[in-house]
Amino acid sequence: MRATVAVCSNKGGVGKTTVATNLAIYLRALYEDLPVLLLGLDDQSVIDRMFRIRPRAENEPTLKHAFAARSLERAVQLGQYGVQFVPPPADVELLKARADDAGSLARLLHRLDYPGVVLIDTKGDLEALTRNALAAADLAILPVSDWAALEEADKVIELLARGRLGRARPRILLTLVDRRTRVDESGRDLYDRLVSAIDERKYPRF
């Protein structure tokens, strides 16, 4: 496996799924021979609607089944644009019960030994499934769209700094920032203010 990337934020509406799905397509377009696998740790159907080719079969394996079987192999399917994906479960609450151990997903990926890039889209929380994603990742992309999202990124970076969730390197990605929003007397817009705050914290960013 070359790399595992988790897209995380404890705030909804910052573009996590948009980043994960578009990055998957971009990587496939840029490197045609690079296998790309997309996992969604959410009960939204965006990944399924974007990438599904064949009709959903009865008893089709989802991520929930993969966790139960301790193997992702049967659940991986080829999707649009050449992106492989694992169908997300209809209800993540049952999946959470199998993810109490933050290392569960990392072990599944280790057994799969995927030869390309694995992208993980997470829920807007820092609960069991998101912690599994962070523990499995080499890189954590933290989307920031406003001040509240930056404060949530602080929490993820602090969590990773404690060293209990593996080796993931966090990096900020500014998304959906409205540059028309002025935030101080000098006329600086929200984007400039966020960049200054990120740099003051010495966080790496894209």
Side-chain angles (χ1 to χ4, degrees):
M1 185 164 52
R2 296 186 187 180
T4 301
V5 180
V7 184
C8 300
S9 174
N10 196 25
K11 184 176 185 294
V14 297
K16 290 186 295 294
T17 302
T18 299
V19 170
T21 54
N22 281 276
L23 183 55
I25 296 168
Y26 175 75
L27 287 173
R28 282 290 301 162
L30 196 61
Y31 307 104
E32 292 182 2
D33 296 328
L34 176 68
V36 176
L37 173 62
L38 184 60
L39 305 179
L41 303 184
D42 203 339
D43 43 18
Q44 295 186 43
S45 60
V46 175
I47 290 174
D48 213 56
R49 285 185 282 119
M50 278 188 70
F51 295 99
R52 176 172 292 279
I53 295 175
R54 63 176 188 250
R56 181 182 289 276
E58 188 176 352
N59 298 322
E60 177 183 80
T62 68
L63 195 59
K64 182 184 76 172
H65 299 107
F67 266 80
R70 298 181 181 179
S71 173
L72 285 162
E73 191 169 351
R74 287 187 61 246
V76 174
Q77 61 178 268
L78 181 64
Q80 299 279 3
Y81 317 105
V83 172
Q84 293 181 295
F85 72 103
V86 173
D91 183 357
V92 295
E93 292 306 314
L94 294 174
L95 181 56
K96 281 182 182 179
R98 300 186 182 278
D100 281 343
D101 177 359
S104 297
L105 181 57
R107 288 191 292 274
L108 288 178
L109 290 172
H110 178 74
R111 291 188 192 109
L112 182 64
D113 195 22
Y114 194 71
V117 175
V118 178
L119 297 169
I120 309 171
D121 179 33
T122 65
K123 282 179 68 68
D125 60 35
L126 283 178
E127 296 178 6
L129 290 173
T130 301
R131 289 171 183 257
N132 264 260
L134 290 169
D138 302 296
L139 172 68
I141 297 177
L142 311 180
V144 168
S145 59
D146 54 27
W147 203 259
L150 178 57
E151 291 175 345
E152 296 304 329
D154 287 333
K155 296 176 184 177
V156 176
I157 291 171
E158 180 183 353
L159 185 64
L160 291 171
R162 293 176 195 161
R164 297 177 184 173
L165 285 179
R167 62 192 183 281
R169 294 172 290 107
R171 186 174 289 267
I172 302 286
L173 175 65
L174 289 164
T175 60
L176 305 170
V177 180
D178 188 350
R179 300 201 70 155
R180 297 169 297 178
T181 305
R182 304 297 166 182
V183 294
D184 58 29
E185 319 71 55
S186 66
R188 283 196 302 177
D189 61 37
L190 178 59
Y191 179 88
D192 290 336
R193 184 67 186 92
L194 285 170
V195 167
S196 294
I198 292 165
D199 290 347
E200 284 167 10
R201 287 164 165 80
K202 297 183 179 178
Y203 292 163
R205 60 179 172 86
F206 290 100

